[in-house]
Amino acid sequence: MRWRAVFRKGLVEQFRDYKATALTVLSPIVFILIFGLAFGQGFYTYTLAISNDDSGMLGQGLVREMESSRYPNGNKLFKVAAVDYNHEQLKEQVRKGIYEAHLYIPPGFSESLQKDAGTSPAAVSIMGNPSKLTYNFISSFVENYIHNFVWAHGIHGSPVQIQYDETSEAKVKSEFENMAPGLMIFSVFFLLILSSMAITKEVENRTIQRIVRSKVSAFEYCTGICLSQLVLAAIMLPLVFASAVLLGFSSSGSYLLAYLVSLVATFSAIGIGLIIAAFCKTSLEAFIIGNVVVTPMMFLAGIFFKIPPVRLFSVMGKEIELLTFVPTLDAVSAMNKILLGNAGFTGILPEFIVLVLLSSGYFTLGVYLFSRRYMRRTGV
C-alpha cells in the first residue's frame, strides 16, 4: 500500500505549490474565454459604410439588401452605417479601421438597371484596405450581393461596373503575410519570461541578499536587467525579420521603424517580467506564470483573429479600448501599419505613444514592487 503514501505526498506537494496548481487549472479556462469572445457570437459581422447617392428606388433596395444580409445561422453579415460620401474622409476612416469597407452607390444606379434604358453602366465602388485579409472576404461578399440583386430584378448583361478603391498599395498574398508582423513583435514578449527568471534565479541562489547589502538601488538593478534583455532583443530581432523574409514575407515598409517599435515593445515586456518576479520565489514559478501571462497576450493582440473591441474613450482620435492596456495590441497594430500598410512614424504615432506610456508604467511598477519585496527586507 505504499502507493497511498506516494499519493498523499504528491497531493500535499501539489497543493502546497498552490500558485502553479491554480494557474494550471485556470489556464484552459482563460483560453476558453478568449476563444468564446472571438468566436462564440457566431460568424463575424463586418462593419460596412454605405453612401447612397442614387435617387431611385433600386439604390435604396440594394442598401436594404445589405442591411438584411444574413449567414445561414442567422447572424448578420454586415453592420451597415449610412454615411455621406466624402472620399478622403472615408478613406481615412477605412484605413483606421472605423469601417472595414465602404460601398458607394452612384447617381443613376436605378436608371442603369432599367431595361432598355440605354444608359451607360453605373460605377459602384468598393473601398477597403488590401493589407487586411478581411477586405478580400468583404469585397467578394458585396460583389456577390450586387450581382444577385441585379439578377433578382430580371436584368441580364452588365448594367453595373464594380470598381475597387484601395486605401494602400500593399496587398496580403497569404495568411502568413497577414500574421507575420504580429509574430515578429510577439517574439520579443518571450523576454517577459526570461527577465522574470533572471531575477528569481538571484532569489534561489540567495545572491539577492548580496545585491541588497551592496546598496544598489532598485532602479539601478532593474535598469541593468532591462538593458541586458534589450541587448538580447536587439540581436534577436534582425534574425526574426530575416526568418520571415526567407519564408516569403515581403514588405516595402520601413524595417528600421519596425525595429524601433519592437524595442519599445520589449521594454514593456521586461516591465511585466519585473512585476511577475515580485510575486515569485523560484524560477520555475516565474516560468509558469510568465507562460500563463504571455500566451493569452498573443491571442488578445489580434494576430490570429480579431477580438471584439470594448471601447472606453477616445483621446486625440485614438480609440482607447479595454485591451489597450495589453501592450501587444498596439504593438501589433503599429507593426501591421508599418509592414503591411507602409505607414511612416506619424501614421503609428498614437500606438507609439501608448506603447511608451505602457512601457514606462510597467517598468515603474516593476521597480516599485521589486523594491518593496526585496530592497526593504533584510532577509529573503
Side-chain angles (χ1 to χ4, degrees):
M1 296 299 181
R2 283 173 289 187
W3 65 267
R4 293 183 180 178
V6 176
F7 168 72
R8 284 195 299 268
K9 175 182 176 294
L11 201 62
V12 169
E13 289 179 347
Q14 184 166 278
F15 284 98
R16 183 180 294 161
D17 189 7
Y18 65 92
K19 291 180 184 177
T21 302
L23 290 172
T24 301
V25 173
L26 291 175
S27 291
I29 298 175
V30 170
F31 280 109
I32 289 174
L33 289 173
I34 291 173
F35 279 86
L37 288 172
F39 301 113
Q41 304 303 314
F43 295 101
Y44 185 75
T45 299
Y46 300 99
T47 303
L48 176 67
I50 298 181
S51 299
N52 180 21
D53 285 346
D54 180 48
S55 57
M57 298 298 294
L58 293 180
Q60 297 178 18
L62 179 59
V63 173
R64 288 193 296 270
E65 186 81 11
M66 294 296 179
E67 290 175 335
S68 62
S69 59
R70 292 287 189 277
Y71 287 105
N73 69 340
N75 280 52
K76 293 188 68 173
L77 178 59
F78 297 115
K79 180 182 178 182
V80 174
V83 296
D84 294 328
Y85 185 68
N86 184 319
H87 183 266
E88 291 304 317
Q89 180 179 347
L90 286 166
K91 192 173 183 179
E92 185 64 21
Q93 289 173 330
V94 171
R95 186 183 291 114
K96 289 182 177 179
I98 297 174
Y99 305 118
E100 289 173 296
H102 171 261
L103 172 66
Y104 177 59
I105 304 174
F109 176 78
S110 292
E111 293 180 11
S112 70
L113 298 185
Q114 302 300 322
K115 292 182 178 180
D116 302 323
T119 58
S120 58
V124 177
S125 67
I126 304 170
M127 181 191 295
N129 189 344
S131 67
K132 296 184 178 180
L133 281 176
T134 53
Y135 172 64
N136 296 325
F137 298 127
I138 295 172
S139 58
S140 297
F141 289 146
V142 172
E143 185 176 342
N144 286 335
Y145 268 94
I146 292 174
H147 288 314
N148 290 336
F149 180 81
V150 171
W151 295 332
H153 286 78
I155 303 169
H156 303 284
S158 303
V160 176
Q161 180 183 359
I162 299 177
Q163 300 177 344
Y164 296 95
D165 187 6
E166 299 175 341
T167 60
S168 65
E169 296 179 359
K171 295 184 179 181
V172 176
K173 300 175 183 177
S174 66
E175 291 185 2
F176 173 71
E177 285 207 355
N178 190 59
M179 294 186 293
L183 295 174
M184 291 175 190
I185 198 72
F186 194 75
S187 64
V188 300
F189 275 87
F190 284 101
L191 295 178
L192 175 158
I193 302 171
L194 195 60
S195 57
S196 62
M197 292 178 67
I199 296 176
T200 49
K201 282 181 180 177
E202 302 279 13
V203 178
E204 284 183 300
N205 298 332
R206 305 191 70 83
T207 51
I208 193 71
Q209 293 177 331
R210 279 183 257 170
I211 294 173
V212 171
R213 295 192 188 102
S214 69
K215 304 300 182 183
V216 64
S217 68
F219 177 79
E220 290 172 327
Y221 176 76
C222 292
T223 299
I225 292 291
C226 181
L227 290 176
S228 67
Q229 299 297 311
L230 282 172
V231 168
L232 181 58
I235 297 171
M236 179 177 68
L237 282 167
L239 300 176
V240 172
F241 291 168
S243 299
V245 171
L246 288 173
L247 289 171
F249 178 77
S250 61
S251 171
S252 57
S254 172
Y255 278 99
L256 185 60
L257 184 56
Y259 187 75
L260 174 63
V261 169
S262 300
L263 289 178
V264 176
T266 303
F267 187 34
S268 67
I270 296 168
I272 297 173
L274 296 177
I275 295 171
I276 291 173
F279 296 95
C280 300
K281 294 180 180 179
T282 66
S283 56
L284 178 60
E285 277 188 14
F287 177 79
I288 294 173
I289 296 177
N291 274 287
V292 170
V293 171
V294 78
T295 306
M297 286 173 66
M298 177 170 67
F299 290 101
L300 293 173
I303 299 174
F304 306 109
F305 49 78
K306 186 175 181 179
I307 298 291
V310 181
R311 293 184 172 89
L312 302 178
F313 52 89
S314 178
V315 178
M316 300 177 62
K318 166 68 176 175
E319 291 286 344
I320 305 299
E321 305 174 16
L322 184 62
L323 293 179
T324 298
F325 300 100
V326 179
T328 48
L329 183 69
D330 280 283
V332 170
S333 175
M335 289 289 282
N336 284 334
K337 287 184 177 181
I338 295 168
L339 297 178
L340 297 181
N342 300 331
F345 184 74
T346 55
I348 61 152
L349 187 58
E351 287 86 356
F352 189 82
I353 292 174
V354 169
L355 267 179
V356 170
L357 291 175
L358 286 176
S359 300
S360 301
Y362 286 132
F363 180 76
T364 302
L365 181 58
V367 170
Y368 169 76
L369 292 174
F370 176 84
S371 176
R372 186 179 179 87
R373 175 72 184 271
Y374 300 113
M375 309 303 280
R376 297 181 184 179
R377 297 170 57 179
T378 57
V380 179

